[in-house]
Amino acid sequence: MLKDNLIQVENNILTACKKAGRDRSEVTLIAVSKTKPVEMLREIYDAGIRDFGENKVQEMCEKTEVLPEDIRWHMIGHLQTNKVKYIVGKTALIHSVDSLHLAEEIQKQAVKKDVVVPILIEVNIAEEASKFGIRKEEAIRLARELSALDHLQVQGLMAIAPYVEDPEENRPYFSEIRQLSVDIRNQNIDNINMNVLSMGMTGDYMVAIEEGATIVRVGTGIFGERDYTK
Ligand SMILES: *Cc1c(COP(=O)(O)O)cnc(C)c1O
């Protein structure tokens, strides 16, 4: 039962919060539902989850059509500029902004729809060639550039840590991300907030919470393994 998985994840989140001396309300759990059928999302919705994460525009749009309106949809995957128009106004938070070019397109669509779009800057913390995200050294500059885009609201940072067997291996990365967010906050850049840290997935969300995550993105731990062969 998916609900049992969710209870397990909830317990782990509580344990991590306690260990770190944090309040449970400081951490939002996103159920990462990519590749999973809407029936499974509904089951988790009925269990009380309202934040869902998807990484493909078309899949997210199909799911928003048929699922309840009070769901907060999170775009966590790499976003192509030509698809931005489909999700602006439908997404609670875009986690994957890693260039001025992409941000400008979001701004353009947001102006058209007269909305303000909450976003995160995606940082490629481990500097893995295969992953998206801006290099840590470039994050402050991008934050300054985004400051001028008045229909964007930068709320913080997002990072994808490497896949590891032992989550402790990712602790230094999570800690670095948190430090980076403090560094950016200390720059006091107009229109740039650093209240959100989206980091931690099924393999390492407890460590991420201990290091300051305010959002964890859990897929496999809730929905089970993904099948990409279909
Ligand atoms: C798929 C995905 C997740 C969830 O991964 P799990 O290991 O299944 O928890 C989290 N974040 C991003 C950006 C993803 O693409």
Side-chain angles (χ1 to χ4, degrees):
M1 286 294 287
L2 297 187
K3 197 168 174 196
D4 297 327
N5 294 345
L6 187 59
I7 289 168
Q8 183 66 55
V9 171
E10 269 300 337
N11 283 337
N12 289 341
I13 291 174
L14 260 180
T15 303
C17 283
K18 276 206 189 111
K19 190 170 166 197
R22 302 181 64 195
D23 197 89
R24 171 66 187 87
S25 64
E26 293 173 36
V27 180
T28 300
L29 168 63
I30 297 183
V32 176
S33 47
K34 61 191 187 197
T35 79
K36 299 297 179 182
V38 290
E39 295 73 37
M40 290 176 89
L41 278 72
R42 208 174 306 247
E43 203 175 323
I44 288 300
Y45 176 90
D46 288 339
I49 293 292
R50 293 296 177 270
D51 292 89
F52 288 86
E54 291 284 338
N55 68 340
K56 295 219 159 62
V57 167
Q58 192 184 342
E59 184 177 348
M60 193 190 99
C61 289
E62 285 168 9
K63 287 173 173 170
T64 60
E65 291 289 307
V66 295
L67 286 164
E69 280 186 4
D70 62 343
I71 289 178
R72 291 179 292 273
W73 293 96
H74 296 259
M75 176 44 66
I76 61 173
H78 178 65
L79 190 52
Q80 289 170 304
T81 47
N82 62 349
K83 303 220 170 125
V84 166
K85 57 177 175 287
Y86 301 115
I87 62 159
V88 163
K90 286 189 193 170
T91 323
L93 187 59
I94 300 176
H95 294 228
S96 45
V97 177
D98 61 358
S99 73
L100 180 60
H101 179 63
L102 174 59
E104 284 172 339
E105 178 62 20
I106 298 171
Q107 161 86 6
K108 189 174 136 197
Q109 297 300 329
V111 168
K112 252 190 205 169
K113 296 195 168 114
D114 195 21
V115 292
V116 172
V117 181
I119 66 159
L120 302 178
I121 295 173
E122 180 176 353
V123 181
N124 183 348
I125 196 66
E127 314 233 319
E128 294 167 288
S130 62
K131 292 221 176 91
F132 296 103
I134 194 163
R135 286 176 43 239
K136 203 177 60 177
E137 295 73 24
E138 291 165 356
I140 291 181
R141 196 188 63 209
L142 181 61
R144 286 193 190 289
E145 290 168 344
L146 300 191
S147 167
L149 303 178
D150 61 353
H151 281 62
L152 296 194
Q153 175 49 247
V154 177
Q155 301 202 328
L157 304 178
M158 181 271 233
I160 305 176
Y163 179 81
V164 288
E165 290 290 329
D166 177 5
E168 285 298 331
E169 287 178 42
N170 281 338
R171 190 182 291 277
Y173 290 128
F174 294 139
S175 166
E176 261 182 69
I177 285 284
R178 185 186 43 186
Q179 187 54 50
L180 178 61
S181 81
V182 170
D183 293 345
I184 296 175
R185 184 185 289 128
N186 287 343
Q187 305 275 321
N188 284 318
I189 308 169
D190 243 25
N191 191 31
I192 305 290
N193 291 315
M194 282 288 137
N195 301 324
V196 176
L197 282 182
S198 169
M199 56 188 197
M201 306 173 23
T202 295
D204 54 22
Y205 62 90
M206 294 181 76
V207 172
I209 290 170
E210 288 167 28
E211 294 301 325
T214 69
I215 290 181
V216 291
R217 311 177 306 263
V218 179
T220 312
I222 295 174
F223 294 105
E225 295 288 337
R226 287 176 293 274
D227 181 0
Y228 287 106
T229 59
K230 284 181 283 191

